[in-house]
């Protein structure tokens, strides 16, 4: 437009405050002027020493608000901003940190300096500023324990003056930063319950996510939020839906009516779900053990369409959920088998074990995957923990896939660290060797010694499976029987 062209032509005649104000005005209006912002950045860098704290704040805020990336400019401003850090007023400080965080621009020296300055005046920051500042630190993952500690008390005192979005944001920040603030979460819960109707869908989802992530119990809040969510379900986008049910499942709070309406809404938005949404949704329904076949059918088709977008870990979580819900989607398991086999080298021990467990649990044959996995497992066998090993051999036995070299390698490893296996893992593993008729006398001998030492820790079911394995394998278990008899007599 003619105005921006005129400004560009005369950019060097503007004062530092004038440039900052112009950029602020364009960003506030939402009018995009990329050429102006590019030209202005050169002038700002050249005259940065003349910019005061307010001009610096307005400038970086404008670039962030306009989503105009300029890393060189943000770097050049750092020294001047740090030098004047104690001159920033409260809003300017909040806006500056918000801008760097929004542009995902690393500035540890700035955030360190700002933290020291903010802590000394923390009681004078208003709720919006507190929320913006704490969120900025969480977003860039910058550790500032003194700041987070200092912000708790004033936030509690002013909690009823926070907007609904402000409450959601500051809770999100504390949860994201993994900084425990139970007093703040208690106060925020009470305040949120009173005005839950003022929370929009994103604020509801983020608030619930924060409580679930922080492991902070708030049953009354979750109950109130479920009613609001049900009423406004059509305003929730796919991410908000996924985060909401994930939060309820993580918190162990099952609301059947909520999960019902969410499933309907998810099916409507099925083509909008990304890989993270899908993982969180199926995990949530499986965790609370609430089967909705129509939902799992729809998600299965969506997952297959974008299977290449999922990581190996994501695929393992999805398959586990389907297996746990007893929903064997052939199309999904076939597609997952191909991609998992292709990317097998990216899988760690837990992903391998969980993936195999899922296929075995639903009885889905995937010979290429089991073959590729056996080769990789032998190479990575030292990284497998007791649960991974137990699940892996159980899976091979469950589907009847013979892998003698793998079983031999596992036997050698297990004998060395059998005492790290719990009774269930021992019983399951021995059953797998027995089912596959894989001779492993040294393993059974070692298992006898380990079990005898802690026979009291075995449940009746675990003992039943263990004795069955010895019998099936034709391996004597006199010492084990004697130990059980002795315990029974006592």
């Amino acid at each position: 437009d003619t105005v921006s062209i005129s400004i560009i032509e005369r950019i060097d005649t503007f004062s530092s405050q004038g440039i900052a104000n112009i950029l602020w005005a364009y960003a506030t209006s939402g009018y995009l002027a990329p050429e102006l912002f590019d030209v202005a950045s050169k002038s700002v860098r050249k005259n940065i020493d003349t910019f005061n704290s307010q001009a610096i704040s307005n400038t970086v805020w404008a670039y962030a608000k306009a989503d105009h990336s300029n890393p060189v400019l943000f770097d050049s401003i750092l020294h001047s901003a740090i030098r004047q850090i104690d001159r920033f007023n409260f809003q300017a400080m909040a806006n500056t940190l918000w801008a760097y965080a929004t542009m995902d621009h690393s500035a540890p020296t700035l955030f360190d300096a700002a933290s020291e300055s903010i802590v000394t005046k923390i009681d004078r920051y208003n709720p919006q500023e507190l929320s913006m500042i704490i969120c900025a630190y969480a977003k860039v993952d910058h550790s500032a324990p003194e700041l987070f500690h200092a912000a708790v008390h004033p936030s509690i005192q002013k909690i009823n003056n926070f907007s609904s979005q402000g409450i959601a944001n500051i809770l999100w920040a504390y949860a994201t930063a993994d900084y425990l603030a139970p007093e703040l979460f208690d106060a925020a819960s009470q305040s949120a319950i009173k005005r839950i109707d003022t929370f929009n869908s994103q604020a509801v989802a983020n608030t619930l996510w924060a409580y679930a992530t922080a492991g902070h119990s708030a049953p009354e809040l979750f109950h109130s939020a479920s009613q609001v969510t049900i009423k406004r379900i059509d305003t929730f986008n796919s991410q908000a839906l996924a985060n909401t049910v994930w939060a309820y499942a993580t918190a162990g709070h099952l609301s059947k009516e909520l999960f019902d309406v969410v499933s309907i809404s998810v099916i409507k938005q099925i083509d909008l779900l990304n890989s993270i949404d899908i993982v969180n949704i199926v995990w949530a329904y499986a965790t609370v053990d609430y089967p909705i076949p129509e939902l799992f059918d729809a998600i299965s088709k969506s997952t297959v369409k974008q299977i290449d977008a999922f990581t190996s870990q994501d695929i393992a979580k999805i398959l586990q959920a389907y297996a746990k819900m007893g929903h064997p989607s052939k199309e999904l398991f076939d597609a997952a088998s191909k991609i998992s086999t292709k990317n097998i080298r990216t899988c760690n021990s837990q992903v391998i074990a969980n993936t195999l467990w899922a296929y075995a649990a639903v009885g889905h044959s995937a010979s290429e995957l089991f073959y590729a996995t056996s080769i990789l497992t032998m190479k990575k066998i030292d990284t497998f923990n007791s649960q991974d090993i137990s699940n892996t051999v159980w899976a091979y036995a469950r589907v009847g896939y013979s892998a003698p070299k793998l079983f031999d390698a596992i036997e050698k490893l297990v004998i060395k660290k059998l005492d790290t296996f719990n009774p269930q893992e021992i019983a399951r593993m021995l059953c797998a060797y027995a089912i596959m008729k894989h001779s492993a006398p040294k393993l059974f001998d070692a298992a006898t010694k380990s079990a005898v030492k802690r026979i009291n820790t075995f449940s009746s079911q675990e003992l039943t499976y263990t004795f069955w394995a010895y019998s099936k394998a034709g391996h004597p278990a006199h010492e084990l029987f004697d130990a059980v008899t002795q315990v029974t007599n006592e």
Side-chain angles (χ1 to χ4, degrees):
D1 67 299
T2 56
V3 175
S4 63
I5 292 173
S6 176
I7 294 172
I8 290 171
E9 292 175 347
R10 296 185 293 146
I11 194 70
D12 290 331
T13 68
F14 285 85
S15 66
S16 57
Q17 193 62 53
I19 293 176
N21 289 346
I22 288 171
L23 294 172
W24 178 89
Y26 269 86
T28 302
S29 69
Y31 190 91
L32 298 180
E35 291 184 15
L36 170 60
F37 275 67
D38 285 338
V39 172
S41 72
K42 296 177 182 178
S43 183
V44 172
R45 297 202 309 272
K46 185 168 64 174
N47 302 302
I48 189 60
D49 289 337
T50 68
F51 278 64
N52 62 25
S53 58
Q54 190 63 53
I56 289 174
S57 177
N58 286 351
T59 298
V60 294
W61 180 90
Y63 277 84
K65 181 69 174 176
D67 194 21
H68 190 99
S69 179
N70 197 314
V72 176
L73 171 63
F74 273 57
D75 280 338
S76 67
I77 286 175
L78 280 176
H79 178 71
S80 184
I82 293 171
R83 179 169 52 83
Q84 304 180 61
I85 199 68
D86 290 326
R87 300 176 192 170
F88 280 72
N89 64 34
F90 307 127
Q91 185 177 7
M93 182 73 83
N95 286 348
T96 299
L97 296 173
W98 174 87
Y100 273 84
T102 299
M103 299 310 289
D104 197 21
H105 191 98
S106 178
T109 53
L110 171 62
F111 276 71
D112 282 339
S115 175
E116 292 180 12
S117 179
I118 294 167
V119 167
T120 62
K121 311 168 187 175
I122 194 70
D123 290 332
R124 298 167 63 187
Y125 282 83
N126 67 36
Q128 183 182 17
E129 293 156 355
L130 285 169
S131 179
M132 289 176 66
I133 289 169
I134 297 300
C135 275
Y137 279 82
K139 192 173 189 305
V140 299
D141 193 22
H142 187 96
S143 177
E146 292 184 4
L147 172 61
F148 275 68
H149 174 73
V152 170
H153 182 65
S155 295
I156 292 174
Q157 286 187 317
K158 303 170 184 178
I159 197 66
N160 290 325
N161 294 324
F162 276 75
S163 66
S164 56
Q165 191 64 52
I167 288 179
N169 288 347
I170 199 165
L171 294 174
W172 173 89
Y174 272 88
T176 299
D178 195 22
Y179 189 96
L180 297 179
E183 299 90 350
L184 173 59
F185 275 66
D186 283 339
S189 174
Q190 294 173 14
S191 183
I193 290 171
K194 295 175 184 176
R195 47 187 168 131
I196 194 67
D197 288 336
T198 68
F199 282 61
N200 63 27
S201 58
Q202 194 62 52
V204 169
N206 286 353
T207 298
L208 296 173
W209 179 92
Y211 278 87
T213 301
H216 191 97
S217 178
E220 292 182 7
L221 173 62
F222 273 69
H223 175 72
S224 298
S226 69
Q227 303 306 307
V228 171
T229 301
I230 292 168
K231 291 178 184 177
R232 301 195 214 143
I233 195 66
D234 291 335
T235 68
F236 280 65
N237 62 26
S238 57
Q239 183 182 24
L241 290 169
N243 286 348
T244 297
V245 291
W246 178 90
Y248 276 85
T250 301
H253 191 109
L254 173 59
S255 169
K256 293 184 178 180
E257 187 179 1
L258 171 64
F259 274 65
D260 283 338
V261 297
V262 167
S263 70
I264 295 172
S265 189
V266 167
I267 292 173
K268 290 179 181 177
Q269 301 184 47
I270 197 68
D271 292 331
L272 301 177
L273 298 181
N274 62 30
S275 58
I276 297 175
D277 297 335
I278 287 175
V279 171
N280 285 342
I281 291 169
V282 296
W283 178 89
Y285 279 82
T287 298
V288 297
D289 194 20
Y290 195 67
I292 299 183
E294 298 84 359
L295 172 64
F296 274 67
D297 284 340
I299 288 180
S300 174
K301 293 177 182 177
S302 178
T303 302
V304 170
K305 288 181 182 178
Q306 51 181 316
I307 194 72
D308 290 330
F310 291 83
T311 66
S312 299
Q313 184 175 16
D314 288 341
I315 291 176
K317 288 181 179 178
I318 292 171
L319 297 178
Q320 276 187 293
Y322 273 78
K324 184 177 180 182
M325 299 305 290
H327 197 102
S329 170
K330 184 178 185 304
E331 185 181 11
L332 171 61
F333 276 74
D334 283 343
S337 173
K338 292 178 182 178
I339 195 68
S340 295
T341 302
K342 177 183 175 183
N343 300 325
I344 193 66
R345 292 183 181 179
T346 67
C347 298
N348 61 31
S349 58
Q350 186 177 32
V351 169
I352 291 172
N354 290 346
T355 300
L356 295 176
W357 177 90
Y359 277 88
V362 298
H364 190 99
S365 177
S367 55
E368 290 185 10
L369 174 61
F370 273 71
Y371 172 76
T373 300
S374 70
I375 302 300
L376 182 64
T377 300
M378 285 190 285
K379 293 179 180 179
K380 292 186 174 184
I381 192 63
D382 290 334
T383 67
F384 279 61
N385 62 29
S386 58
Q387 184 179 17
D388 296 335
I389 291 172
S390 174
N391 285 344
T392 297
V393 293
W394 176 85
Y396 276 86
R398 181 77 169 75
V399 299
Y401 188 95
S402 178
K405 291 183 179 179
L406 172 62
F407 273 57
D408 284 341
I410 288 177
E411 179 188 9
K412 292 178 182 179
L413 175 67
V414 170
I415 290 174
K416 296 177 183 177
K417 56 180 188 178
L418 194 55
D419 287 339
T420 66
F421 284 64
N422 64 38
Q424 183 183 32
E425 292 163 350
I426 290 176
R428 174 175 285 194
M429 180 178 56
L430 294 177
C431 284
Y433 275 82
I435 290 170
M436 296 306 293
K437 298 179 181 179
H438 188 96
S439 178
K442 292 181 180 180
L443 172 61
F444 276 76
D445 284 340
T448 299
K449 294 178 182 179
S450 181
V452 167
K453 289 190 295 184
R454 45 188 168 133
I455 198 67
N456 286 327
T457 66
F458 279 69
S459 69
S460 58
Q461 185 179 44
E462 290 159 354
L463 284 173
T464 299
Y465 284 133
T466 300
F467 284 130
W468 178 89
Y470 277 85
S471 176
K472 180 75 173 177
H475 193 92
H478 303 304
E479 292 181 40
L480 197 57
F481 274 105
D482 289 342
V484 173
T485 301
Q486 184 177 351
V487 170
T488 302
N489 289 336
E490 292 177 354

